[in-house]
PDB file of all heavy atoms in Angstrom:
ATOM      1  N   GLN V  49       7.071 -10.513   4.049  1.00 82.00           N
ATOM      2  CA  GLN V  49       5.894  -9.771   4.490  1.00 82.00           C
ATOM      3  C   GLN V  49       4.665 -10.620   4.187  1.00 82.00           C
ATOM      4  O   GLN V  49       4.632 -11.351   3.198  1.00 82.00           O
ATOM      5  CB  GLN V  49       5.784  -8.415   3.781  1.00 82.00           C
ATOM      6  CG  GLN V  49       6.942  -7.480   4.115  1.00 82.00           C
ATOM      7  CD  GLN V  49       6.800  -6.117   3.462  1.00 82.00           C
ATOM      8  OE1 GLN V  49       6.512  -5.130   4.114  1.00 82.00           O
ATOM      9  NE2 GLN V  49       7.027  -6.056   2.179  1.00 82.00           N
ATOM     10  N   MET V  50       3.646 -10.490   5.028  1.00 83.00           N
ATOM     11  CA  MET V  50       2.433 -11.265   4.835  1.00 83.00           C
ATOM     12  C   MET V  50       1.690 -10.762   3.601  1.00 83.00           C
ATOM     13  O   MET V  50       1.383  -9.574   3.487  1.00 83.00           O
ATOM     14  CB  MET V  50       1.534 -11.175   6.065  1.00 83.00           C
ATOM     15  CG  MET V  50       2.102 -11.835   7.302  1.00 83.00           C
ATOM     16  SD  MET V  50       2.370 -13.611   7.114  1.00 83.00           S
ATOM     17  CE  MET V  50       0.684 -14.193   6.913  1.00 83.00           C
ATOM     18  N   TYR V  51       1.415 -11.682   2.674  1.00 89.00           N
ATOM     19  CA  TYR V  51       0.761 -11.332   1.415  1.00 89.00           C
ATOM     20  C   TYR V  51      -0.290 -12.391   1.127  1.00 89.00           C
ATOM     21  O   TYR V  51       0.032 -13.551   0.892  1.00 89.00           O
ATOM     22  CB  TYR V  51       1.802 -11.288   0.294  1.00 89.00           C
ATOM     23  CG  TYR V  51       1.238 -11.095  -1.104  1.00 89.00           C
ATOM     24  CD1 TYR V  51       0.581  -9.924  -1.460  1.00 89.00           C
ATOM     25  CD2 TYR V  51       1.395 -12.087  -2.073  1.00 89.00           C
ATOM     26  CE1 TYR V  51       0.082  -9.747  -2.739  1.00 89.00           C
ATOM     27  CE2 TYR V  51       0.899 -11.911  -3.357  1.00 89.00           C
ATOM     28  CZ  TYR V  51       0.243 -10.742  -3.690  1.00 89.00           C
ATOM     29  OH  TYR V  51      -0.248 -10.570  -4.959  1.00 89.00           O
ATOM     30  N   GLU V  52      -1.547 -11.993   1.194  1.00 87.00           N
ATOM     31  CA  GLU V  52      -2.652 -12.927   0.979  1.00 87.00           C
ATOM     32  C   GLU V  52      -3.642 -12.363  -0.023  1.00 87.00           C
ATOM     33  O   GLU V  52      -4.851 -12.490   0.120  1.00 87.00           O
ATOM     34  CB  GLU V  52      -3.350 -13.240   2.308  1.00 87.00           C
ATOM     35  CG  GLU V  52      -2.467 -14.024   3.280  1.00 87.00           C
ATOM     36  CD  GLU V  52      -3.129 -14.303   4.611  1.00 87.00           C
ATOM     37  OE1 GLU V  52      -4.163 -13.646   4.904  1.00 87.00           O
ATOM     38  OE2 GLU V  52      -2.622 -15.154   5.359  1.00 87.00           O
ATOM     39  N   GLY V  53      -3.108 -11.725  -1.063  1.00 87.00           N
ATOM     40  CA  GLY V  53      -3.961 -11.221  -2.116  1.00 87.00           C
ATOM     41  C   GLY V  53      -4.680  -9.938  -1.742  1.00 87.00           C
ATOM     42  O   GLY V  53      -4.342  -9.264  -0.756  1.00 87.00           O
ATOM     43  N   ILE V  54      -5.704  -9.596  -2.517  1.00 91.00           N
ATOM     44  CA  ILE V  54      -6.317  -8.272  -2.451  1.00 91.00           C
ATOM     45  C   ILE V  54      -7.708  -8.276  -1.816  1.00 91.00           C
ATOM     46  O   ILE V  54      -8.386  -7.247  -1.822  1.00 91.00           O
ATOM     47  CB  ILE V  54      -6.410  -7.655  -3.856  1.00 91.00           C
ATOM     48  CG1 ILE V  54      -7.235  -8.570  -4.796  1.00 91.00           C
ATOM     49  CG2 ILE V  54      -5.016  -7.403  -4.422  1.00 91.00           C
ATOM     50  CD1 ILE V  54      -7.494  -7.968  -6.156  1.00 91.00           C
ATOM     51  N   ASP V  55      -8.135  -9.398  -1.246  1.00 92.00           N
ATOM     52  CA  ASP V  55      -9.494  -9.464  -0.701  1.00 92.00           C
ATOM     53  C   ASP V  55      -9.747  -8.432   0.393  1.00 92.00           C
ATOM     54  O   ASP V  55     -10.872  -7.960   0.552  1.00 92.00           O
ATOM     55  CB  ASP V  55      -9.778 -10.870  -0.157  1.00 92.00           C
ATOM     56  CG  ASP V  55      -9.734 -11.925  -1.251  1.00 92.00           C
ATOM     57  OD1 ASP V  55     -10.655 -11.945  -2.073  1.00 92.00           O
ATOM     58  OD2 ASP V  55      -8.764 -12.707  -1.288  1.00 92.00           O
ATOM     59  N   ARG V  56      -8.707  -8.095   1.177  1.00 92.00           N
ATOM     60  CA  ARG V  56      -8.890  -7.171   2.298  1.00 92.00           C
ATOM     61  C   ARG V  56      -8.602  -5.717   1.934  1.00 92.00           C
ATOM     62  O   ARG V  56      -8.692  -4.835   2.791  1.00 92.00           O
ATOM     63  CB  ARG V  56      -7.988  -7.568   3.457  1.00 92.00           C
ATOM     64  CG  ARG V  56      -8.173  -9.000   3.940  1.00 92.00           C
ATOM     65  CD  ARG V  56      -7.302  -9.261   5.153  1.00 92.00           C
ATOM     66  NE  ARG V  56      -7.251 -10.669   5.498  1.00 92.00           N
ATOM     67  CZ  ARG V  56      -6.674 -11.164   6.589  1.00 92.00           C
ATOM     68  NH1 ARG V  56      -6.107 -10.342   7.448  1.00 92.00           N
ATOM     69  NH2 ARG V  56      -6.661 -12.455   6.828  1.00 92.00           N
ATOM     70  N   VAL V  57      -8.225  -5.461   0.704  1.00 93.00           N
ATOM     71  CA  VAL V  57      -7.869  -4.091   0.315  1.00 93.00           C
ATOM     72  C   VAL V  57      -9.123  -3.223   0.300  1.00 93.00           C
ATOM     73  O   VAL V  57     -10.125  -3.555  -0.336  1.00 93.00           O
ATOM     74  CB  VAL V  57      -7.177  -4.081  -1.060  1.00 93.00           C
ATOM     75  CG1 VAL V  57      -6.943  -2.640  -1.526  1.00 93.00           C
ATOM     76  CG2 VAL V  57      -5.858  -4.840  -0.991  1.00 93.00           C
ATOM     77  N   THR V  58      -9.049  -2.090   1.003  1.00 94.00           N
ATOM     78  CA  THR V  58     -10.176  -1.162   1.124  1.00 94.00           C
ATOM     79  C   THR V  58      -9.924   0.092   0.294  1.00 94.00           C
ATOM     80  O   THR V  58      -8.795   0.361  -0.129  1.00 94.00           O
ATOM     81  CB  THR V  58     -10.370  -0.760   2.589  1.00 94.00           C
ATOM     82  OG1 THR V  58      -9.191  -0.027   3.012  1.00 94.00           O
ATOM     83  CG2 THR V  58     -10.555  -1.981   3.482  1.00 94.00           C
ATOM     84  N   PRO V  59     -10.949   0.895   0.070  1.00 95.00           N
ATOM     85  CA  PRO V  59     -10.731   2.181  -0.622  1.00 95.00           C
ATOM     86  C   PRO V  59      -9.713   3.058   0.092  1.00 95.00           C
ATOM     87  O   PRO V  59      -8.925   3.757  -0.567  1.00 95.00           O
ATOM     88  CB  PRO V  59     -12.126   2.817  -0.626  1.00 95.00           C
ATOM     89  CG  PRO V  59     -13.069   1.646  -0.613  1.00 95.00           C
ATOM     90  CD  PRO V  59     -12.403   0.626   0.253  1.00 95.00           C
ATOM     91  N   LEU V  60      -9.699   3.052   1.426  1.00 95.00           N
ATOM     92  CA  LEU V  60      -8.720   3.858   2.156  1.00 95.00           C
ATOM     93  C   LEU V  60      -7.298   3.372   1.875  1.00 95.00           C
ATOM     94  O   LEU V  60      -6.376   4.179   1.709  1.00 95.00           O
ATOM     95  CB  LEU V  60      -9.006   3.820   3.655  1.00 95.00           C
ATOM     96  CG  LEU V  60      -8.065   4.666   4.524  1.00 95.00           C
ATOM     97  CD1 LEU V  60      -8.850   5.391   5.609  1.00 95.00           C
ATOM     98  CD2 LEU V  60      -6.975   3.802   5.163  1.00 95.00           C
ATOM     99  N   ILE V  61      -7.107   2.066   1.818  1.00 95.00           N
ATOM    100  CA  ILE V  61      -5.776   1.530   1.517  1.00 95.00           C
ATOM    101  C   ILE V  61      -5.361   1.917   0.103  1.00 95.00           C
ATOM    102  O   ILE V  61      -4.216   2.329  -0.135  1.00 95.00           O
ATOM    103  CB  ILE V  61      -5.767   0.010   1.722  1.00 95.00           C
ATOM    104  CG1 ILE V  61      -5.766  -0.305   3.219  1.00 95.00           C
ATOM    105  CG2 ILE V  61      -4.550  -0.636   1.042  1.00 95.00           C
ATOM    106  CD1 ILE V  61      -5.919  -1.768   3.551  1.00 95.00           C
ATOM    107  N   ARG V  62      -6.277   1.807  -0.845  1.00 95.00           N
ATOM    108  CA  ARG V  62      -5.969   2.229  -2.217  1.00 95.00           C
ATOM    109  C   ARG V  62      -5.566   3.693  -2.254  1.00 95.00           C
ATOM    110  O   ARG V  62      -4.632   4.086  -2.957  1.00 95.00           O
ATOM    111  CB  ARG V  62      -7.178   1.994  -3.115  1.00 95.00           C
ATOM    112  CG  ARG V  62      -7.472   0.535  -3.417  1.00 95.00           C
ATOM    113  CD  ARG V  62      -6.419  -0.083  -4.301  1.00 95.00           C
ATOM    114  NE  ARG V  62      -6.766  -1.450  -4.689  1.00 95.00           N
ATOM    115  CZ  ARG V  62      -5.909  -2.302  -5.211  1.00 95.00           C
ATOM    116  NH1 ARG V  62      -4.655  -1.928  -5.432  1.00 95.00           N
ATOM    117  NH2 ARG V  62      -6.285  -3.513  -5.529  1.00 95.00           N
ATOM    118  N   GLU V  63      -6.276   4.526  -1.490  1.00 96.00           N
ATOM    119  CA  GLU V  63      -5.964   5.954  -1.455  1.00 96.00           C
ATOM    120  C   GLU V  63      -4.581   6.192  -0.852  1.00 96.00           C
ATOM    121  O   GLU V  63      -3.802   7.010  -1.367  1.00 96.00           O
ATOM    122  CB  GLU V  63      -7.026   6.706  -0.656  1.00 96.00           C
ATOM    123  CG  GLU V  63      -6.807   8.206  -0.603  1.00 96.00           C
ATOM    124  CD  GLU V  63      -7.872   8.934   0.185  1.00 96.00           C
ATOM    125  OE1 GLU V  63      -8.798   8.266   0.707  1.00 96.00           O
ATOM    126  OE2 GLU V  63      -7.777  10.170   0.299  1.00 96.00           O
ATOM    127  N   ALA V  64      -4.257   5.482   0.235  1.00 96.00           N
ATOM    128  CA  ALA V  64      -2.950   5.647   0.875  1.00 96.00           C
ATOM    129  C   ALA V  64      -1.821   5.247  -0.061  1.00 96.00           C
ATOM    130  O   ALA V  64      -0.782   5.919  -0.137  1.00 96.00           O
ATOM    131  CB  ALA V  64      -2.899   4.819   2.153  1.00 96.00           C
ATOM    132  N   VAL V  65      -2.005   4.163  -0.789  1.00 95.00           N
ATOM    133  CA  VAL V  65      -0.981   3.707  -1.734  1.00 95.00           C
ATOM    134  C   VAL V  65      -0.848   4.693  -2.883  1.00 95.00           C
ATOM    135  O   VAL V  65       0.262   5.039  -3.302  1.00 95.00           O
ATOM    136  CB  VAL V  65      -1.323   2.294  -2.249  1.00 95.00           C
ATOM    137  CG1 VAL V  65      -0.377   1.884  -3.381  1.00 95.00           C
ATOM    138  CG2 VAL V  65      -1.248   1.281  -1.117  1.00 95.00           C
ATOM    139  N   GLU V  66      -1.980   5.182  -3.386  1.00 95.00           N
ATOM    140  CA  GLU V  66      -1.940   6.109  -4.512  1.00 95.00           C
ATOM    141  C   GLU V  66      -1.311   7.439  -4.111  1.00 95.00           C
ATOM    142  O   GLU V  66      -0.523   8.008  -4.876  1.00 95.00           O
ATOM    143  CB  GLU V  66      -3.355   6.328  -5.056  1.00 95.00           C
ATOM    144  CG  GLU V  66      -3.409   7.172  -6.314  1.00 95.00           C
ATOM    145  CD  GLU V  66      -2.613   6.564  -7.462  1.00 95.00           C
ATOM    146  OE1 GLU V  66      -2.560   5.320  -7.579  1.00 95.00           O
ATOM    147  OE2 GLU V  66      -2.028   7.355  -8.250  1.00 95.00           O
ATOM    148  N   GLN V  67      -1.631   7.934  -2.921  1.00 95.00           N
ATOM    149  CA  GLN V  67      -1.076   9.227  -2.500  1.00 95.00           C
ATOM    150  C   GLN V  67       0.418   9.151  -2.207  1.00 95.00           C
ATOM    151  O   GLN V  67       1.098  10.189  -2.187  1.00 95.00           O
ATOM    152  CB  GLN V  67      -1.827   9.739  -1.269  1.00 95.00           C
ATOM    153  CG  GLN V  67      -3.231  10.213  -1.563  1.00 95.00           C
ATOM    154  CD  GLN V  67      -3.846  10.982  -0.406  1.00 95.00           C
ATOM    155  OE1 GLN V  67      -3.141  11.466   0.480  1.00 95.00           O
ATOM    156  NE2 GLN V  67      -5.167  11.122  -0.421  1.00 95.00           N
ATOM    157  N   THR V  68       0.944   7.970  -1.959  1.00 95.00           N
ATOM    158  CA  THR V  68       2.393   7.814  -1.713  1.00 95.00           C
ATOM    159  C   THR V  68       3.064   7.050  -2.841  1.00 95.00           C
ATOM    160  O   THR V  68       4.189   6.570  -2.676  1.00 95.00           O
ATOM    161  CB  THR V  68       2.633   7.062  -0.397  1.00 95.00           C
ATOM    162  OG1 THR V  68       2.097   5.723  -0.504  1.00 95.00           O
ATOM    163  CG2 THR V  68       2.004   7.766   0.781  1.00 95.00           C
ATOM    164  N   ARG V  69       2.398   6.914  -3.962  1.00 92.00           N
ATOM    165  CA  ARG V  69       2.901   6.078  -5.053  1.00 92.00           C
ATOM    166  C   ARG V  69       4.372   6.366  -5.343  1.00 92.00           C
ATOM    167  O   ARG V  69       4.763   7.505  -5.583  1.00 92.00           O
ATOM    168  CB  ARG V  69       2.076   6.306  -6.318  1.00 92.00           C
ATOM    169  CG  ARG V  69       2.568   5.555  -7.554  1.00 92.00           C
ATOM    170  CD  ARG V  69       1.626   5.717  -8.724  1.00 92.00           C
ATOM    171  NE  ARG V  69       0.393   4.985  -8.502  1.00 92.00           N
ATOM    172  CZ  ARG V  69       0.214   3.711  -8.852  1.00 92.00           C
ATOM    173  NH1 ARG V  69       1.206   3.039  -9.426  1.00 92.00           N
ATOM    174  NH2 ARG V  69      -0.933   3.110  -8.622  1.00 92.00           N
ATOM    175  N   GLY V  70       5.186   5.329  -5.309  1.00 90.00           N
ATOM    176  CA  GLY V  70       6.590   5.456  -5.656  1.00 90.00           C
ATOM    177  C   GLY V  70       7.496   5.993  -4.566  1.00 90.00           C
ATOM    178  O   GLY V  70       8.713   6.041  -4.752  1.00 90.00           O
ATOM    179  N   GLU V  71       6.957   6.390  -3.414  1.00 94.00           N
ATOM    180  CA  GLU V  71       7.805   6.989  -2.384  1.00 94.00           C
ATOM    181  C   GLU V  71       8.496   5.911  -1.554  1.00 94.00           C
ATOM    182  O   GLU V  71       7.868   4.930  -1.120  1.00 94.00           O
ATOM    183  CB  GLU V  71       6.982   7.895  -1.473  1.00 94.00           C
ATOM    184  CG  GLU V  71       6.463   9.131  -2.186  1.00 94.00           C
ATOM    185  CD  GLU V  71       5.677  10.038  -1.264  1.00 94.00           C
ATOM    186  OE1 GLU V  71       5.828   9.938  -0.025  1.00 94.00           O
ATOM    187  OE2 GLU V  71       4.894  10.850  -1.787  1.00 94.00           O
ATOM    188  N   VAL V  72       9.794   6.105  -1.337  1.00 94.00           N
ATOM    189  CA  VAL V  72      10.600   5.177  -0.541  1.00 94.00           C
ATOM    190  C   VAL V  72      11.487   5.967   0.407  1.00 94.00           C
ATOM    191  O   VAL V  72      11.745   7.160   0.203  1.00 94.00           O
ATOM    192  CB  VAL V  72      11.476   4.265  -1.429  1.00 94.00           C
ATOM    193  CG1 VAL V  72      10.620   3.312  -2.249  1.00 94.00           C
ATOM    194  CG2 VAL V  72      12.391   5.092  -2.339  1.00 94.00           C
ATOM    195  N   LEU V  73      11.972   5.312   1.444  1.00 94.00           N
ATOM    196  CA  LEU V  73      12.863   5.925   2.434  1.00 94.00           C
ATOM    197  C   LEU V  73      14.309   5.524   2.162  1.00 94.00           C
ATOM    198  O   LEU V  73      14.597   4.353   1.889  1.00 94.00           O
ATOM    199  CB  LEU V  73      12.470   5.482   3.840  1.00 94.00           C
ATOM    200  CG  LEU V  73      11.174   6.064   4.397  1.00 94.00           C
ATOM    201  CD1 LEU V  73      10.699   5.244   5.588  1.00 94.00           C
ATOM    202  CD2 LEU V  73      11.362   7.522   4.783  1.00 94.00           C
ATOM    203  N   THR V  74      15.202   6.495   2.250  1.00 92.00           N
ATOM    204  CA  THR V  74      16.620   6.215   2.036  1.00 92.00           C
ATOM    205  C   THR V  74      17.446   6.849   3.152  1.00 92.00           C
ATOM    206  O   THR V  74      17.011   7.771   3.849  1.00 92.00           O
ATOM    207  CB  THR V  74      17.104   6.781   0.694  1.00 92.00           C
ATOM    208  OG1 THR V  74      17.115   8.217   0.767  1.00 92.00           O
ATOM    209  CG2 THR V  74      16.212   6.339  -0.457  1.00 92.00           C
ATOM    210  N   TYR V  75      18.662   6.337   3.284  1.00 92.00           N
ATOM    211  CA  TYR V  75      19.656   6.962   4.153  1.00 92.00           C
ATOM    212  C   TYR V  75      20.975   6.943   3.397  1.00 92.00           C
ATOM    213  O   TYR V  75      21.421   5.883   2.933  1.00 92.00           O
ATOM    214  CB  TYR V  75      19.795   6.215   5.475  1.00 92.00           C
ATOM    215  CG  TYR V  75      20.764   6.872   6.436  1.00 92.00           C
ATOM    216  CD1 TYR V  75      20.373   7.969   7.200  1.00 92.00           C
ATOM    217  CD2 TYR V  75      22.075   6.422   6.554  1.00 92.00           C
ATOM    218  CE1 TYR V  75      21.248   8.592   8.055  1.00 92.00           C
ATOM    219  CE2 TYR V  75      22.969   7.042   7.422  1.00 92.00           C
ATOM    220  CZ  TYR V  75      22.552   8.132   8.167  1.00 92.00           C
ATOM    221  OH  TYR V  75      23.445   8.748   9.019  1.00 92.00           O
TER     222      TYR V  75
END
C-alpha cells in the first residue's frame, strides 16, 4: 500500500480512523 508518512493526514482522516479503531473484516 502507498505509504508516504503523515503530511497529508487531515482531521477528517483522523476521525475516520478513530471511529473505526481496531475494526477489521473477516470471512
Side-chain angles (χ1 to χ4, degrees):
Q49 296 183 107
M50 293 298 295
Y51 173 65
E52 293 178 345
I54 58 174
D55 297 288
R56 304 184 191 187
V57 174
T58 64
L60 182 139
I61 286 173
R62 289 291 185 195
E63 182 180 0
V65 172
E66 186 59 34
Q67 288 192 19
T68 64
R69 176 174 289 271
E71 293 181 20
V72 293
L73 288 163
T74 69
Y75 183 80

